[in-house]
Every structure is written in structure tokens, then in C-alpha cells.
Amino acid sequence: MGDGGCVRNLMEGMAEFSCLQSPSFVVDINKVKQNAQQMLERCQELGVNLRPHTKTHKTLQAAEISTGKRKQGLVVSTIAEAKYFINGGFTDIIFAQPPSLTKVQVCAALVESVSEFHMLIDNVQHLYMLEDTKLLNGKHWSVFLDLDCGYGRTGAKWDVVGTLELARLIHQSESVDFSGVYVHEGNSYCQGSANEVTNISELTTSRLLEFTDKLECEGIPCPVKTMGSTPSCSLPAQIMSKITEFHPGNYVFYDLMQYYIGSCTLDDIACSVIARVIGHYPERGHMIMDCGWTALDNQSEMSKCVTGHGYIVGEPNLRIDSMTQELGKISAIAGKLDYEKYPIGTVLQIYPWHACATASLHNVYHIASDGVIIDKWKPVRGWVE
């Protein structure tokens, strides 16, 4: 939808964007590099390693930038991502999802194709599946124990005796190596301020360290303690210097959710959706853009985000009230909408509420530098194939 002509834009330097079809997904390469470098430096200052999660961007290019071109040390959320990055020359990859039997069989081939590939498990049935799936050439499975330190999604609970017993069984296994403990701090996303993020990070880290201290007392080595989320790694508590590595993902792009949490500024947000005004409806008090929930995520917390389902760059008085599949309704936050300011064809640049969800809706990323489109990235899609 949308015409390709160069029409009025809402911000200086957007002339190049007006030549994109709409809706389109745009990534500011300079902001990506800045966000990645800041996280690398933050980790260096704390003395921890950085293992970026690829779930937000799912591209070789952003993975190279976020690892400092090391091509090692990633977290992936799907087998399709794992295959993609292995084929792209990356190694030392954690598949951060407890496996089903069918996925174990696929992962066996991945383990045999790369020097380091790690599984995530949180119960004894996962361990038995791995032990029953023999690898070639005497190779062992490498396993991280998924530990729940308060988030309550996946993971064995940090304070339950059975979790220590599971770690012992992994350690004693003849075909599985215990590589470390993995914690996803997803509850940091529920916090309302930077101080709250720091507080929950302190609690999560102390629980992780308490558990790994118990492992030591039991004679179970824990080579790696990996923990992360974008809020906690952007606003790290000092105690996090005691773990081995961070594994955030969203920070490469950032988004409005992170802005409202306090993880970033608006200027740090590196991704946006380009849309156009395609209709005026003064009698109803709104205008329509050619972008709905198939191009822009609709997860926004409307009570928190005053601009609705995104932020239209340079237009703080515009609100995206609602979206259907291909259309979005825009109104004024204060006063009446000035339709003359937004003629049909006006190009809008929108920061999304959730970058991970919005990026997943696009098969091509248009890469911009100083307002000029310079490249295209094609992310990996799907789950297994």
C-alpha cells in the first residue's frame, strides 16, 4: 500500500524514506552500532562476557556488530536461527528453549556440525532425551541448566532441592556435560523505573549466586553463570559483576517499551516503521495510515504509552489509537487534528512499542545511515526449517 512518490515528510532528512513503499521496516545502522558498542563497553567495565541474544534482529549483520565481529558466543531462540548462524560461521551458541524430542534429533546434527552448541534443560525428562540420543565420534551434549530465579516462565526453581539434584544428575552423566546455569530475567520488563530494574536484578543475581554456591559445596563445577534481559543489562546492578556473562537481545534495536522502563532514550531507538497517511475523516476526528498490526506490533501498554501503539517521530501530539490488519487510526492527543499539516501521502516514521514483535513482521530491513537507505538485510524466519 502507499505510493512511492516523494511527498511531504514529518522530519528533516526523511526524503529518502519517502521513496520506500509503505509499510517498511527501517534500521538506523549508526544507532545499532552505538547501542552494541555501549553494551560491549558496559560488560568490559563490569568484567563480564557478552553473549548477545539474536531473537530481536535475527540477522548475520547485527550479530557480527553485537559480538564485535568475533562470530562466537550467541543465544538463539529457534533452530532455524541456530542453523542460520552456524552456516554464517558462528560458533558457541546456546539454543535457549527447553527441547522436545523432535528438536533434540535435529539439534544432534547441529552439535556435530559446530565446535560448541549448547542445549537448555530444566527437568530430568530433557536429560533422558539427550542421553538417549547418541552423538557421533564420542561427542558429548553440552547443557545449561535453565534456572528460575523469580520470573516464573521456564526453568527449575532456584530454591527447590530437586533442582540441585537435577544439576547433580547432569554432572554425573556419561554423555552430557554440565556447562553452566542460564537465567532469563524476564520479570525486569514488568518494572516501572530504573531503580526497580536494579532492585529486581540484585535479587535475581543473589539467588543465582546462592544456587551456584550450593553447587560448589556439592562438588559440582559451574563454568558459566549467564543471566540477562535488556533492562537488567542496560541498567546493571553492581552485584552482576559476579556472574560470567550477560545475554541481552533487544538492546540492539531498543524500543518504546525499553524507553518507558528507563533502559534507553528515544534517540537510542534504532528501528522504525515507515507508513503513509491515506485518509482524512474530520467528522470522526481521525486520519488513517496504511499500517496495521501486520506491520506494527499491537502490544503497547496504552495506559502507559500516551502516543498509543507507537510514537510518530517528531509528532508528540499524534496518537495511534487503534489498528486493524492493514490500517491504523490516528488522532490528536490535545485539541483538534490539523489535517492541512498531514496531507494525503504524508510519510510517517513510527517507533514501535516492541521491537522484537515488530521486526518479526518484516522479511526485509531497509538499512539507513544519516537518513539515506544504504543496504537491505534479510532476517532468518521460521522455527525449524
Side-chain angles (χ1 to χ4, degrees):
M1 296 178 69
D3 57 67
C6 293
V7 296
R8 181 187 179 278
N9 306 298
L10 291 185
M11 60 180 290
E12 188 177 348
M14 273 185 63
E16 185 72 19
F17 296 170
S18 69
C19 296
L20 292 174
Q21 289 290 341
S22 52
S24 289
F25 189 75
V26 172
V27 173
D28 187 317
I29 187 64
N30 298 319
K31 290 184 179 181
V32 167
K33 290 178 178 179
Q34 172 185 291
N35 294 340
Q37 185 60 34
Q38 287 179 346
M39 188 62 73
L40 283 165
E41 291 174 358
R42 189 174 296 123
C43 289
Q44 290 169 358
E45 290 171 4
L46 286 169
V48 300
N49 296 325
L50 176 62
R51 180 189 291 272
H53 205 308
T54 66
K55 69 184 184 68
T56 301
H57 60 82
K58 302 190 183 216
T59 64
L60 291 172
Q61 296 91 335
E64 287 193 23
I65 292 169
S66 59
T67 59
K69 297 186 178 181
R70 289 181 296 115
K71 282 205 164 187
Q72 63 181 23
L74 296 177
V75 180
V76 299
S77 57
T78 68
I79 290 176
E81 287 172 55
K83 292 178 178 178
Y84 174 76
F85 288 107
I86 288 171
N87 291 336
F90 283 83
T91 186
D92 189 9
I93 295 170
I94 298 177
F95 174 38
Q97 182 185 112
S100 64
L101 180 57
T102 55
K103 288 179 179 176
V104 166
Q105 294 166 347
V106 176
C107 286
L110 297 180
V111 171
E112 292 162 356
S113 70
V114 68
S115 60
E116 292 181 86
F117 186 82
H118 316 282
M119 304 293 289
L120 191 69
I121 71 172
D122 65 7
N123 68 65
V124 71
Q125 295 302 317
H126 295 142
L127 177 60
Y128 293 159
M129 283 192 289
L130 296 180
E131 289 179 328
D132 290 342
T133 306
K134 303 302 181 184
L135 300 175
L136 299 177
N137 302 317
K139 200 164 187 178
H140 287 195
W141 290 97
S142 172
V143 159
F144 278 80
L145 174 59
D146 186 4
L147 192 69
D148 175 16
C149 290
Y151 180 34
R153 187 177 64 177
T154 62
K157 293 193 68 175
W158 66 280
D159 57 349
V160 173
V161 173
T163 304
L164 194 61
E165 179 59 26
L166 176 57
R168 184 182 291 109
L169 290 173
I170 299 170
H171 174 61
Q172 293 172 345
S173 176
E174 294 182 356
S175 58
V176 176
D177 294 334
F178 182 43
S179 295
V181 173
Y182 181 103
V183 176
H184 174 52
E185 199 180 347
N187 45 348
S188 64
Y189 281 80
C190 305
Q191 308 311 308
S193 69
N195 284 339
E196 290 178 12
V197 170
T198 300
N199 290 340
I200 201 71
S201 296
E202 289 175 346
L203 178 62
T204 302
T205 307
S206 64
R207 288 174 173 178
L208 167 59
L209 295 174
E210 182 178 332
F211 179 77
T212 55
D213 285 346
K214 290 178 182 177
L215 291 181
E216 277 190 31
C217 291
E218 294 289 328
I220 303 172
C222 183
V224 176
K225 308 176 189 76
T226 180
M227 188 179 100
S229 69
T230 285
S232 63
C233 295
S234 298
L235 303 161
Q238 188 57 43
I239 191 175
M240 292 174 71
S241 64
K242 296 182 179 181
I243 65 176
T244 315
E245 63 184 32
F246 287 179
H247 56 251
N250 175 280
Y251 75 96
V252 172
F253 286 167
Y254 280 127
D255 52 31
L256 287 178
M257 186 193 312
Q258 299 296 338
Y259 166 71
Y260 277 96
I261 292 171
S263 307
C264 68
T265 68
L266 273 180
D267 287 340
D268 293 327
I269 299 175
C271 65
S272 59
V273 174
I274 301 303
R276 284 179 173 82
V277 174
I278 60 170
H280 291 166
Y281 304 91
E283 70 283 4
R284 302 169 201 165
H286 67 254
M287 59 187 180
I288 294 291
M289 66 177 178
D290 60 349
C291 175
W293 47 254
T294 57
L296 181 69
D297 82 272
N298 63 353
Q299 299 178 353
S300 178
E301 296 180 36
M302 302 292 280
S303 61
K304 181 182 293 186
C305 187
V306 296
T307 56
H309 290 285
Y311 174 77
I312 300 175
V313 178
E315 295 293 324
N317 194 45
L318 291 183
R319 175 183 171 88
I320 303 172
D321 290 318
S322 63
M323 293 187 293
T324 52
Q325 185 165 333
E326 303 295 349
L327 303 173
K329 183 188 294 184
I330 301 171
S331 65
I333 295 173
K336 293 184 177 181
L337 193 57
D338 182 357
Y339 293 95
E340 290 186 2
K341 186 178 178 183
Y342 312 105
I344 303 296
T346 296
V347 176
L348 310 173
Q349 182 184 18
I350 307 164
Y351 289 155
W353 175 259
H354 190 185
C356 309
T358 296
S360 73
L361 303 172
H362 296 266
N363 293 325
V364 174
Y365 302 166
H366 299 273
I367 308 306
S369 177
D370 299 322
V372 176
I373 303 299
I374 61 169
D375 200 1
K376 289 182 181 180
W377 294 352
K378 293 188 176 180
V380 63
R381 291 289 178 248
W383 292 269
V384 177
E385 300 301 330

